[in-house]
């Protein structure tokens, strides 16, 4: 049976500013790249800041009807009191180009990078810095005039964990106390943005929802998994509505707020085991080993997880978008299979009555994968980093076929030797 998606369903792709634009020299990542604290330099990245017209043309011709990208705060405010009108105008043009081509933009306001000057003041660690965020949001309201969908933060808990708990990413701080404080301040920042933007825009937040599996059937592993799931996935989202953010050490009071939609980023599953180590909050997390083949990131592929993530995220009664789902591989046939299998489960979620309104494949094109650099190839479109030439892969066309027809035809499954979803 062909799988029909709703007429209004968005079939898009996703990117972020620092990963594709190039020469983002006013943010914290750039700084750490230059001083060698990060292994790879983003440099010109995909040179999208010059090639954006071509890129939008390409996604139009491929038939996608939506595009998620992020505004680089440090481009608009390269210095504390300096506003960059040129960057403002360019983002305006990008939005206009998308709209005239019938592509719905979903704009992220913070995708891991912050202005260096803001980080030098302590970034989101200090509540008084939120006045700078507020100033940025006011400008954003002007900039996004014609946009409908706005997401405040991308993967806030990943930002917190990587930057303040594992110290694997900028600002390389390893302090559980600071980590939860940053999380609480991100929630306050979300509330500020919601207050200023809601009404004019649909304001949501993008949360990475990995499926967290217990390492064994043992009671203590199951409990540990539940605890990790709460700490990583749900306490943050719960707090938006309850006004109480439950960290490990204490509960933070934050303004009660709302989200008009939840963006779900889904890639893979994690496995959690109990440990007696209090420094690890009594649990250990590693990537789950549940598929024979691993992606270039070392991740297992678990399509059912997208369905599970949507089900769980539906608890808030808000519309859902898959704001990211993708695979890093050089085997493009595998990418086709990946997309179809995940979309089969998205379709099942819709059939079950969940309000899922769109799917954004990560990523439109190969790009700078943070600490992993340019190695992982997530793109539907291949990027030649020497010439910046874009070459759509076969998956780019197959996804376009699905996007245009808004269905997964039986013939498509046959073509790729894929079974219908076994329920
Ligand atoms: C999530 C992040 O939002 C994005 O920046 C990253 O490139 C992808 N996942 C893939 O790891």
């Amino acid at each position: 049976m062909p799988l029909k998606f709703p007429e209004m369903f968005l079939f898009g792709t996703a990117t972020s500013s620092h990963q594709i634009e190039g020469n983002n020299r006013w943010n914290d990542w750039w700084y750490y790249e230059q001083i060698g604290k990060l292994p790879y330099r983003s440099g010109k990245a995909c040179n999208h800041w010059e090639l954006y017209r071509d890129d939008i043309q390409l996604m139009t011709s491929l038939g996608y009807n939506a595009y998620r990208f992020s505004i680089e705060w440090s481009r608009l405010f390269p210095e504390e009191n300096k506003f960059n009108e040129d960057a403002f105008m360019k983002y305006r043009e990008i939005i206009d180009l998308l709209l005239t081509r019938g592509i719905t933009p979903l704009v992220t306001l913070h995708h891991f990078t912050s202005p260096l000057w803001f980080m030098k003041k302590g970034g989101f660690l200090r509540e008084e810095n939120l006045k700078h965020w507020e100033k940025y949001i006011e400008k954003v309201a002007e900039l996004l005039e014609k946009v409908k969908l706005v997401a405040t933060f991308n993967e806030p808990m990943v930002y917190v964990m990587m930057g303040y708990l594992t110290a694997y990413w900028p600002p390389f701080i390893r302090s559980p106390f600071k980590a939860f404080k940053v999380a609480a301040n991100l929630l306050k920042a979300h509330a500020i943005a919601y207050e200023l933007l809601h009404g004019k825009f649909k304001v949501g937040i993008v949360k990475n929802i990995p499926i967290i599996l217990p390492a064994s059937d043992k009671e203590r592993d199951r409990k540990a998994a539940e605890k990790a799931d709460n700490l990583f996935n749900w306490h943050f989202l719960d707090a938006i509505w309850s006004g109480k953010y439950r960290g490990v050490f204490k509960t933070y009071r934050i303004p009660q707020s709302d989200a008009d939609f939840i963006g779900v980023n889904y890639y893979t599953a994690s496995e959690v085991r109990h440990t007696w180590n209090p420094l690890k909050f009594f649990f250990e997390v590693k990537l789950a080993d549940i598929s024979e083949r691993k992606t270039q990131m070392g991740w297992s592929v678990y399509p059912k997880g997208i369905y599970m993530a949507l089900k769980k995220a539906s608890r808030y009664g808000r519309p859902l978008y898959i704001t990211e789902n993708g695979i890093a591989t050089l085997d493009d046939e595998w990418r086709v299979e990946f997309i179809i299998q995940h979309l089969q489960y998205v379709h099942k979620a819709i059939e079950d009555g969940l309000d899922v309104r769109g799917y954004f494949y990560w990523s439109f094109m190969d790009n700078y994968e943070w600490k992993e650099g340019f190695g992982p190839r997530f793109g539907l479109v291949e990027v030649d980093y020497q010439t910046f030439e874009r070459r759509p892969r076969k998956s780019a066309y197959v996804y376009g076929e699905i996007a245009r027809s808004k269905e997964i035809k039986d013939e498509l499954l046959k073509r790729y030797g894929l079974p219908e979803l076994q329920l």
Side-chain angles (χ1 to χ4, degrees), residues 156-157 183-184 186-188 190-191 205-209 226-247 251-259 261-262 309 311-318:
M157 285 309 285
L186 294 181
L187 283 158
K188 290 176 193 163
H190 170 84
I205 190 157
V206 170
K207 181 79 184 66
N208 174 27
I209 304 189
E226 197 184 309
K227 186 169 163 195
D229 196 17
N230 279 329
L231 217 53
F232 184 79
N233 284 331
W234 311 113
H235 286 173
F236 187 90
L237 288 174
D238 289 350
I240 294 177
W241 288 275
S242 72
K244 285 186 220 120
Y245 175 54
R246 291 172 59 191
T251 295
Y252 300 80
R253 286 230 153 257
I254 54 155
Q256 269 186 322
S257 181
D258 203 343
F261 66 88
I262 295 175
K311 274 250 146 145
K312 288 172 183 225
S314 71
R315 67 178 70 178
Y316 301 104
R318 293 292 178 273

Side-chain angles (χ1 to χ4, degrees), residues 22-91:
N23 284 330
N24 255 316
R25 36 183 91 246
W26 302 278
N27 72 32
D28 50 345
W29 271 77
W30 182 272
Y31 169 75
Y32 288 112
E33 289 166 20
Q34 301 311 308
I35 63 167
K37 273 280 270 181
L38 287 163
Y40 302 99
R41 293 184 174 183
S42 54
K44 282 178 90 75
C46 305
N47 199 20
H48 174 75
W49 200 240
E50 285 170 28
L51 300 177
Y52 61 98
R53 291 194 185 100
D54 302 341
D55 288 336
I56 294 172
Q57 192 44 46
L58 183 55
M59 64 181 78
T60 311
S61 68
L62 286 165
Y64 314 149
N65 67 357
Y67 176 49
R68 171 176 178 239
F69 66 101
S70 74
I71 303 287
E72 179 65 36
W73 178 6
S74 66
R75 272 200 196 274
L76 293 186
F77 290 95
E79 288 165 36
E80 182 178 344
N81 290 311
K82 199 169 128 199
F83 176 67
N84 180 350
E85 188 71 33
D86 291 348
F88 183 93
M89 293 313 288
K90 197 177 276 196
Y91 282 126

Side-chain angles (χ1 to χ4, degrees), residues 16 19 68 111-112 154-155 265 267 297 299 324 362 367 369-370 378:
S16 90
Q19 294 178 270
R68 171 176 178 239
H111 196 121
F112 298 150
N154 177 67
E155 302 193 345
N265 287 1
Y267 287 90
M297 301 294 283
W299 300 346
E324 283 183 37
W362 183 274
N367 59 48
E369 178 58 23
W370 308 113
F378 276 97

Side-chain angles (χ1 to χ4, degrees), residues 15 30 90 97 99 111-112 156 166 184 219 269 275 284 286 293 314 349 352 372 396 408 419:
T15 63
W30 182 272
K90 197 177 276 196
L97 285 172
L99 291 170
H111 196 121
F112 298 150
T166 62
E219 169 85 0
T275 159
E284 244 162 18
K286 58 174 199 154
R293 263 181 107 178
S314 71
D352 283 5
E372 286 70 29
I408 297 177

